[in-house]
Amino acid sequence: SPIGNITTPFTGTFTGLGNTIDGLTINTTGSYVGLFGFTQASTIKDVSLTNVSITGGDKVGGLVGWHQGGLANCHVLSGSITGISNFGSVGGLVGRNANGGLISGSYVSGGSVNGGSNSGGLVGANDGVITTSHVVGTSVSGLQHVGGLVGNNYTFTLALPGTSGKVENSYVSGGTVSGTTNVGGVVGNNQSGGVVAFTYAANRSVIGGAGSTGGVVGYNAGSVHHNFWDTSLNNNGNPSTGIGWDVLSNSGIDIGAFGLLTTDLMLQASYVNWDFGSSISTWWMVDGYTRPFLRSEWSNTITNAHQLQLMDMAPSANYTLANNLDLAAELDNTLSTGMWSNAGFVPIGNAFQFTGQFDGLNHVISNLKINRTGNIRPSDNVNVGLFGAVGSVGSIINVGLVK
């Protein structure tokens, strides 16, 4: 039974301490469905859910059905989240992020989200703030207002002074998005007052109705700026513009949601006015070889491919590998979630020698792919391996590599 309901909301603090809950199963026709059903002025942080199977009526999320508070560093990995109501908000992490709720540093990876209206890979409906979060390799489907990250980003006016949805510094990579009306790679429907800024979409496909399907936003009546979408990766979808329909322009447009080729979106210079460059900036990438990662994804406990690559961001730190890693789905171009170029994984110790400590704890990394021939910089063809260059004080122990 979900923790908290509309009568007795969860109002406390839950700290997962980095632990994982596996195999959560809920099957109901009711509302406010997830590990937490209804939260208010709550704090939820540092927890992962794997292999979930959650079905509800409306306000359905992998972690929270209705969220009103703070949520940080939470993840849902694999499984299915389904809302059976045509009017329900369904999201991989949260069904409804309400009344100024804040979601940061969180992600959904793999699995599927299926609903009616307001279906999103991370959040179904949002009138709060979503920042530094992402969705990777998730299939999202619904009817109207369907987005790779957020289904419906809107303004809630029943409670004064009202709250408007804001989605910023976030991305969607891989996976598919499909619906009938107002379908977008990042946000399906961006209502008046809503903001979508500094995001990118690299979906495998975005499919929806003509005139309301966009590479970034399906339908826009709010503010959209400094966003990008990959026109070459999304070759099975039907967007022709970054915004499927813009109310002010009375047409589909690319202004604020620019479409570029994959090769261009692997170049930092393409992301004009984005926050790169310093140790406290928002984004990090290996210029020419990866898409932008969020710096907030970095951890010295490695559990996924993104964190493994982000070791190159801090090559003097100490790391442990928490589990076996299979990189096939990330690096095989036929399955790729799109974060790496055809050159594959970028060796750790690329720009600077690795001088930290890496302990694999006897875990195995499989299907590592690196192809450094014909690279954009000839110097990149040397020092090739999981680790490129290791300094005299660097240490690598207890790890295996298999095909």
Side-chain angles (χ1 to χ4, degrees), residues 130-135 148-150 153 166-173 184-187 190 195-203 215-217 223-230 242-243 256-260 265 270-276 282-283 291-292 294:
I130 299 170
T131 185
T132 56
S133 296
H134 66 280
V135 173
L149 194 85
V150 174
N153 195 48
K166 184 175 185 180
V167 179
E168 63 178 4
N169 292 317
S170 298
Y171 69 89
V172 180
S173 186
V186 177
V187 172
N190 188 45
V195 176
V196 183
F198 300 101
T199 75
Y200 73 83
N203 317 84
V216 176
V217 174
S223 173
V224 177
H225 62 88
H226 293 94
N227 305 281
F228 297 91
W229 67 289
D230 192 316
I243 300 173
F258 302 101
L260 295 174
L265 291 175
S270 297
Y271 299 89
V272 178
N273 293 326
W274 281 41
D275 184 21
F276 284 101
T282 303
W283 298 95
R291 298 186 193 276
L294 290 160

Side-chain angles (χ1 to χ4, degrees), residues 150-333:
V150 174
N152 196 356
N153 195 48
Y154 70 106
T155 297
F156 182 68
T157 59
L158 294 181
L160 295 177
T163 51
S164 296
K166 184 175 185 180
V167 179
E168 63 178 4
N169 292 317
S170 298
Y171 69 89
V172 180
S173 186
T176 60
V177 184
S178 63
T180 57
T181 309
N182 301 347
V183 182
V186 177
V187 172
N189 184 37
N190 188 45
Q191 293 187 11
S192 177
V195 176
V196 183
F198 300 101
T199 75
Y200 73 83
N203 317 84
R204 301 301 293 184
S205 67
V206 177
I207 301 174
S212 63
T213 300
V216 176
V217 174
Y219 180 94
N220 177 54
S223 173
V224 177
H225 62 88
H226 293 94
N227 305 281
F228 297 91
W229 67 289
D230 192 316
T231 60
S232 51
L233 186 66
N234 191 357
N235 53 14
N236 294 315
N238 67 336
S240 57
T241 53
I243 300 173
W245 188 264
D246 181 76
V247 171
L248 184 62
S249 302
N250 202 34
S251 66
I253 61 173
D254 281 319
I255 298 172
F258 302 101
L260 295 174
L261 298 174
T262 299
T263 51
D264 295 319
L265 291 175
M266 295 278 177
L267 299 174
Q268 185 174 313
S270 297
Y271 299 89
V272 178
N273 293 326
W274 281 41
D275 184 21
F276 284 101
S278 73
S279 60
I280 59 172
S281 61
T282 303
W283 298 95
W284 178 88
M285 66 188 296
V286 182
D287 201 15
Y289 295 105
T290 73
R291 298 186 193 276
F293 294 90
L294 290 160
R295 283 182 174 266
S296 59
E297 295 180 66
W298 180 90
S299 174
N300 56 12
T301 301
I302 307 302
T303 63
N304 60 52
H306 291 205
Q307 292 169 342
L308 188 69
Q309 185 64 84
L310 284 162
M311 287 175 58
D312 195 47
M313 186 181 79
S316 62
N318 297 331
Y319 300 91
T320 56
L321 182 61
N323 47 261
N324 295 331
L325 279 183
D326 186 350
L327 303 180
E330 296 279 5
L331 300 178
D332 185 330
N333 287 336

